[in-house]
Amino acid sequence: QVRLVESGGGLVQAGGSLRLSCAASGATFSNLATAWFRQAPGKEREFVVWWSDGRTSYRDSVLGRFLISRDNAKNTVYLQLNRLKPEDTAVYYCAARYGSPGFSVREYRYWGQGTQVTVSS
């Protein structure tokens, strides 16, 4: 059973940075397509970025500000959030699946519990 655990969220002022972590057990990230999603209050969960076989794809609104990376030794995926804006406020979720990456929630089988990111103006 694949288990994902996120950490690293918090409260930050606009323009600040945070680094989110997603640690996996039960599988190695090198065999998985991995993604980050986020869900703001009252809104649907939305795609942020995916990583698969060294390829990445970012949501337009975070391109150039967010960066996904992976530490194979720690079996952990990171999401570096830079130049944060109030509209980035959301619960951020790590997700994974075997096979090709996707952009929709329903394509991912494994999910973490989420970590809250709050950006104050």
Side-chain angles (χ1 to χ4, degrees):
Q1 180 68 22
V2 178
R3 183 167 179 254
L4 306 175
V5 179
E6 302 101 331
S7 60
L11 172 63
V12 64
Q13 289 187 331
S17 298
L18 284 172
R19 189 178 77 160
L20 309 183
S21 300
C22 174
S25 59
T28 57
F29 275 124
S30 59
N31 297 328
L32 297 167
T34 310
W36 287 91
F37 287 76
R38 66 186 181 186
Q39 188 167 18
K43 295 187 177 182
E44 293 187 352
R45 196 169 298 187
E46 64 182 20
F47 164 81
V48 176
V49 59
W50 58 247
W51 170 306
S52 179
D53 292 330
R55 299 174 296 124
T56 59
S57 181
Y58 291 86
R59 182 180 194 84
D60 285 348
S61 62
V62 308
L63 189 63
R65 299 190 298 122
F66 292 6
L67 181 67
I68 190 171
S69 62
R70 189 175 72 193
D71 185 330
N72 289 332
K74 295 182 178 180
N75 206 27
T76 299
V77 170
Y78 301 98
L79 184 63
Q80 179 69 39
L81 315 177
N82 298 321
R83 304 201 310 273
L84 281 161
K85 304 176 181 180
E87 52 263 43
D88 294 319
T89 294
V91 177
Y92 283 71
Y93 295 91
C94 177
R97 59 166 289 172
Y98 289 102
S100 300
F103 296 91
S104 64
V105 171
R106 65 180 183 274
E107 295 181 86
Y108 289 85
R109 179 176 180 180
Y110 306 106
W111 291 86
Q113 82 288 354
T115 186
Q116 176 71 47
V117 171
T118 303
V119 185
S120 63
S121 57

